[in-house]
Amino acid sequence: MKTQVAIIGAGPSGLLLGQLLHKAGIDTLIVERQTPDYVLGRIRAGVLEQGTVALLREAGVAERMEREGLVHEGVELLMGGHRQRLDLKALTGGKTVMVYGQTEVTRDLMQARRECGAPIIYSASDVQPHAIDSPHPYLTFEKDGKQHRVDCDYIAGCDGFHGVARQSIPAGVLKTYERVYPFGWLGLLADTPPVNHELIYAQHERGFALCSQRSQTRSRYYLQVPLGEQVQDWPDTRFWDELKARLPEDLAERLVTGPALEKSIAPLRSLVVEPMQHGRLFLVGDAAHIVPPTGAKGLNLAASDVNYLYRILVKVYREGRTDLLAEYSPMALRRVWKGERFSWFMTHLLHDFGAHQDAWDSKMQEADRAYYLGSQAGLVNIAENYVGLPFETVQ
Ligand code: APR
Ligand code: PHB
C-alpha cells in the first residue's frame, strides 16, 4: 500500500488530522489497533475551546456539534467556602466554550471518514513504523493473519499515551518531563439532569468534586479519590452521598441521582516528551503529552497539535515548504507547555494534597485560592486559559 501521510491511531487526533488533510487533497491512511466500538466506548472529557470548535468546522464535521453541543458562557468555582461564577464571555472579550463529549466528536469524525471513503484499517495488530529517519519511511502491521506494508512520505503518531510511535524513537532522543499526583478521579455518567446549567469545580476539605454534563439530560460527575481506590468499592449510593457531602447544601438538595451508565477511575498525571518529531515521524496529542483533566485541556491540546501539523503539511505539499517541518515540534510545544501549566495550576488550586504537602505549600494554596477569586486579574487569568490561548500562525 502507498499513501502520503500514514496515521497511527484513530482517536480524535488521528481522525481529525486525517479529515483536514483529506479536505486539502492530501492522501492519508489510518491504522488503528482497536475496533470502532471499542474506540467509541471510551468516556473522556467534554469541553471544547473555541479554537478546537473552529478546527472542527474547518474539517467539515461540526454540524451535529452546532445542533447538540451546549455553548457555555461561564463556569463556577467553589473554593475556601466561596462560590464564584467566572463569566468567561465577559472576562475574555466574548469567548465561550462548547460542551460536547469527546465520544461524540469521535463519532462525527468516524462518520465523515466513512462518507469520504478515505481508508481506515481497524483491528490492526503489531503496527510498527520503520526507516523514520530516512526519506522513505513505512509502516508495517498485521491484519487477519496477513502482514501489510504502507509506504509513505510522513508518519503521524496519533496513537495515544500507550502507543508505539513514541516508543519507536531511538533511545536517548526524547526527554521526558513528568509529574504524578497522589490521587485519581472517580467519574460517573448518569442520565439525570445536570445539577447546574454550568460546570462547577468544587474544592472541599473532603477532596475535589466536579459537576459536568454531556447534555440537558446527561450528567458527568467526578470525585477526587486516593490512589489505589477500586471502582467496585464505590457503589452508586456511596458516590452520590460523597458528592453531596462535597457540595454546598442548596446544590446537594437539588442534585438528581440515578444509576451509573459508566463509572471509572483515572489517575492524574502530567507528562511531556520533547521533541515531538524525529525524522519523518511526528507525535500528536496524547502520544506526546498528558495533562490532568482539571483544566479540560487533553482533547484541546491534541487539536492544537493537529492544527499545526495540518497547516505545515499543507504548505509542504502545496508550496514545497519542507523547511516548516522542523517548526512543528517547537511550535506545538510552546502551546502544550502553557496547557500543561494551566492544568497543573488548576490541579494544585482545587485538590486536597493531604500529607503529600507541607504546611508552607498548604498556606500557598490557601493564598492562591483567595487571590484568584478576589482579583479581577486573577479571574481573567483563569478565564483566558480555560477558553483557550490563541494559536500561532504558520507562515
Ligand atoms: N497501533 C495502532 N493504534 C494504536 C496503537 C498501536 N500500537 N496504540 C494505540 N492506538 C490507538 C488507540 O487504540 C486509540 O484509538 O490510538 C488511538 C489514540 O487515541 P487517544 O488515546 O484518544 O489519543 P488522541 O487521539 O491523541 O486524543 C487525545 O484523548 O486521552 C484523551 O485527554 C485526551 O482528550 C484527549 C484525547
Ligand atoms: C467532563 O465533562 O468529562 C470534564 C469536564 C471538564 C473537565 C474535565 C472533565 O475539566
Side-chain angles (χ1 to χ4, degrees):
M1 286 180 258
K2 219 172 157 35
T3 191
Q4 288 176 303
V5 180
I7 298 175
I8 312 175
S13 299
L15 288 166
L16 181 56
L17 181 66
Q19 198 56 29
L20 288 161
L21 291 176
H22 176 81
K23 281 201 81 173
I26 298 167
D27 284 343
T28 59
L29 176 99
I30 304 181
V31 187
E32 162 64 49
R33 177 163 63 179
Q34 306 289 354
T35 63
D37 283 347
Y38 183 96
V39 172
L40 287 173
R42 294 187 291 230
I43 307 292
R44 298 254 174 88
V47 177
L48 308 182
E49 295 172 355
Q50 217 155 294
T52 304
V53 168
L55 202 60
L56 291 168
R57 284 192 188 121
E58 195 171 336
V61 293
E63 193 198 323
R64 195 163 66 95
M65 176 189 70
E66 313 276 15
R67 223 174 36 240
E68 298 176 14
L70 306 169
V71 174
H72 280 207
E73 298 184 357
V75 291
E76 291 201 33
L77 286 183
L78 265 68
M79 293 197 287
H82 297 283
R83 186 168 169 181
Q84 171 75 49
R85 177 173 186 266
L86 252 77
D87 188 335
L88 296 172
K89 199 170 182 179
L91 291 163
T92 62
K95 293 188 182 157
T96 56
V97 292
M98 174 79 81
V99 172
Y100 189 65
Q102 177 172 324
T103 312
E104 304 313 313
V105 172
T106 308
R107 200 189 303 282
D108 296 344
L109 284 162
M110 281 179 172
Q111 190 187 334
R113 184 100 191 157
R114 257 196 318 275
E115 282 170 7
C116 73
I120 178 161
I121 296 163
Y122 285 100
S123 308
S125 57
D126 197 20
V127 180
Q128 292 289 342
H130 302 272
I132 54 177
D133 41 19
S134 86
H136 303 291
Y138 61 98
L139 283 186
T140 54
F141 64 92
E142 201 182 307
K143 166 94 181 164
D144 301 330
K146 285 200 203 92
Q147 273 292 122
H148 298 269
R149 173 177 167 142
V150 186
D151 290 286
C152 56
D153 301 329
Y154 303 102
I155 299 174
C158 303
D159 49 354
F161 183 55
H162 301 286
V164 64
R166 188 176 71 250
Q167 288 158 27
S168 69
I169 294 177
V173 169
L174 296 181
K175 183 158 170 56
T176 303
Y177 301 84
E178 187 172 21
R179 180 75 17 129
V180 290
Y181 303 90
F183 39 74
W185 278 18
L186 168 64
L188 181 148
L189 187 71
D191 272 335
T192 55
V195 68
N196 191 49
H197 72 290
E198 292 177 342
L199 270 63
I200 300 177
Y201 289 79
Q203 177 264 326
H204 194 276
E205 58 189 19
R206 299 178 68 93
F208 168 74
L210 170 61
C211 306
S212 183
Q213 54 190 267
R214 292 287 176 275
S215 70
Q216 270 142 9
T217 56
R218 181 167 285 189
S219 304
R220 179 73 166 161
Y221 296 105
Y222 296 94
L223 295 173
Q224 173 189 349
V225 292
L227 281 183
E229 207 76 6
Q230 303 292 323
V231 177
Q232 59 265 32
D233 296 330
W234 285 88
D236 296 357
T237 47
R238 182 177 175 205
F239 183 98
W240 294 118
D241 287 347
E242 184 59 33
L243 179 59
K244 283 180 190 169
R246 297 183 190 187
L247 294 177
E249 235 169 72
D250 61 318
L251 284 173
E253 271 169 27
R254 245 185 18 225
L255 182 73
V256 182
T257 64
L261 301 171
E262 193 263 1
K263 214 166 14 182
S264 53
I265 296 182
L268 268 66
R269 179 202 293 266
S270 299
L271 181 140
V272 181
V273 297
E274 290 190 343
M276 288 171 59
Q277 174 204 0
H278 183 68
R280 290 182 172 235
L281 171 69
F282 297 85
L283 300 177
V284 180
D286 275 23
H289 42 77
I290 297 289
V291 286
T294 328
K297 290 287 169 251
L299 176 58
N300 292 300
L301 285 182
S304 171
D305 296 348
V306 168
N307 171 73
Y308 290 129
L309 187 56
Y310 152 64
R311 295 190 199 290
I312 287 170
L313 286 173
V314 166
K315 285 190 186 285
V316 167
Y317 281 105
R318 288 196 185 149
E319 301 166 27
R321 292 285 309 279
T322 48
D323 59 300
L324 287 174
L325 292 167
E327 293 300 312
Y328 168 68
S329 174
M331 228 175 190
L333 281 166
R334 281 194 285 274
R335 201 161 179 287
V336 164
W337 277 115
K338 289 178 186 160
E340 292 282 349
R341 186 208 67 82
F342 180 65
S343 308
W344 166 88
F345 161 78
M346 289 289 276
T347 301
H348 277 267
L349 195 65
L350 290 162
H351 287 78
D352 179 28
F353 282 72
H356 296 274
Q357 86 184 357
D358 63 19
W360 177 265
D361 286 340
S362 298
K363 283 291 181 191
M364 290 299 102
Q365 193 184 28
E366 268 175 46
D368 260 349
R369 287 171 187 158
Y371 165 69
Y372 278 94
L373 284 195
S375 150
Q376 185 69 9
L379 296 176
V380 169
N381 177 319
I382 295 181
E384 74 166 351
N385 281 280
Y386 195 80
V387 300
L389 297 171
F391 292 129
E392 290 176 50
T393 308
V394 175
Q395 43 197 338

